[in-house]
């Protein structure tokens, strides 16, 4: 029999996990293709083209196409993910697993006040994540972080939050500033999700990153994400 290295995980990837891995890699390459500097090495330090597109606030045609046809569908897909967490990775999870699932938000039937309440609860979940990050992310538990981000399971009020926030544009004091903050929030959510997801597979790849380094990167993205959530709350005159 062939000897396996000590780091080999005998558990096969599920079809969904494999699909997410390939889709994530494909999106990563697509987004880098729109990098203003054309330098793919930026991805090694987690300065993805996605962040560059938003922070530079360029209005050229290539940026517009990247935002509309690559980034937006990816965020929508991640926000609606309903994959159940791996029990082996949920040992340190602080979120109450017995709590009821968060209902989907429907902008056609749910009121603005309901959307605002959902947003406030989502901010609380993000604050809990940051306050307990070391425990939640213990032993490279990227799935735990993703559960709080609402991209894994349906226990967090962050699940489907992009749809909630888009429905509140007309409620903001300055729709331009609100939209800019929303775009930045989406960018950092996408990056935090990507780093947390990559942390679960990096040990089986040739990448130099480690689960711990990727989870630290994800935490930095969550910090920035929370900042823009605060900006949007201010635009909506919400107490957080």
């Amino acid at each position: 029999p062939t000897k396996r290295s000590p780091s080999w995980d005998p558990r096969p990837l599920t079809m969904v996990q494999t699909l997410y891995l390939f889709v994530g890699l494909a999106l990563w390459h697509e987004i880098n293709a729109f990098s203003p500097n054309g330098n793919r090495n930026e991805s090694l330090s987690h300065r993805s083209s996605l962040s560059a597109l938003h922070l530079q606030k360029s209005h050229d045609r290539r940026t517009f196409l990247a935002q509309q046809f690559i980034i937006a569908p990816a965020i929508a897909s991640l926000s609606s993910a309903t994959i159940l967490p791996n029990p082996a990775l949920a040992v340190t999870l602080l979120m109450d697993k017995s709590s009821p699932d968060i209902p989907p938000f429907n902008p056609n039937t749910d009121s603005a006040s309901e959307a605002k309440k959902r947003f406030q609860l989502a901010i609380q979940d993000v604050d809990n994540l940051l306050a307990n990050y070391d425990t939640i992310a213990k032993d490279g538990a990227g799935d735990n972080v993703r559960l709080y981000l609402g991209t894994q399971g349906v226990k967090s009020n962050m699940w489907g939050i992009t749809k909630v926030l888009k429905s509140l544009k007309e409620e903001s004091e300055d729709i331009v500033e609100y939209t800019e903050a929303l775009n930045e929030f989406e960018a950092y959510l996408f990056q935090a999700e990507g780093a947390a997801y990559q942390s679960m597979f990096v040990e089986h790849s040739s990448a130099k990153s480690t689960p711990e380094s990727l989870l630290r990167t994800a935490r930095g993205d969550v910090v920035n994400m929370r900042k823009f959530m605060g900006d949007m709350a201010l635009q909506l005159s919400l107490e957080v």
Side-chain angles (χ1 to χ4, degrees), residues 141-209:
D143 260 358
N144 290 352
V145 174
R146 297 175 65 230
L147 207 157
Y148 273 83
L149 293 176
T151 59
Q152 169 84 327
V154 292
K155 298 296 184 182
S156 170
N157 287 283
M158 282 288 292
W159 178 60
I161 194 61
T162 301
K163 185 183 295 184
V164 175
L165 295 174
K166 287 182 177 178
S167 74
L168 291 172
K169 283 185 178 182
E170 299 297 332
E171 301 289 322
S172 62
E173 294 182 6
D174 187 321
I175 193 170
V176 174
E177 290 189 10
Y178 180 90
T179 302
E180 288 178 353
L182 174 57
N183 289 340
E184 298 287 359
F185 163 80
E186 288 181 320
Y188 283 114
L189 172 59
F190 181 76
Q191 290 182 177
E193 151 67 16
Y197 185 77
Q198 280 183 297
S199 72
M200 299 186 293
F201 303 99
V202 69
E203 288 183 331
H204 307 299
S205 72
S206 59
K208 295 181 180 180
S209 302

Side-chain angles (χ1 to χ4, degrees), residues 92-126:
T92 61
L93 187 64
L94 296 180
M95 185 172 287
D96 186 0
K97 291 178 287 185
S98 65
S99 61
D101 292 346
I102 301 299
F105 177 79
N106 187 338
N108 297 320
T109 58
D110 295 335
S111 66
S113 61
E114 290 174 312
K116 290 178 180 179
K117 181 61 177 178
R118 176 72 169 267
F119 181 31
Q120 288 176 307
L121 293 173
I123 291 176
Q124 291 179 17
D125 285 343
V126 172

Side-chain angles (χ1 to χ4, degrees), residues 42-58:
E42 289 294 314
S43 61
L44 297 177
S45 60
H46 195 62
R47 295 175 58 188
S48 69
S49 300
L50 175 63
S51 179
L53 286 171
H54 286 292
L55 296 178
Q56 184 186 15
K57 294 183 175 63
S58 170

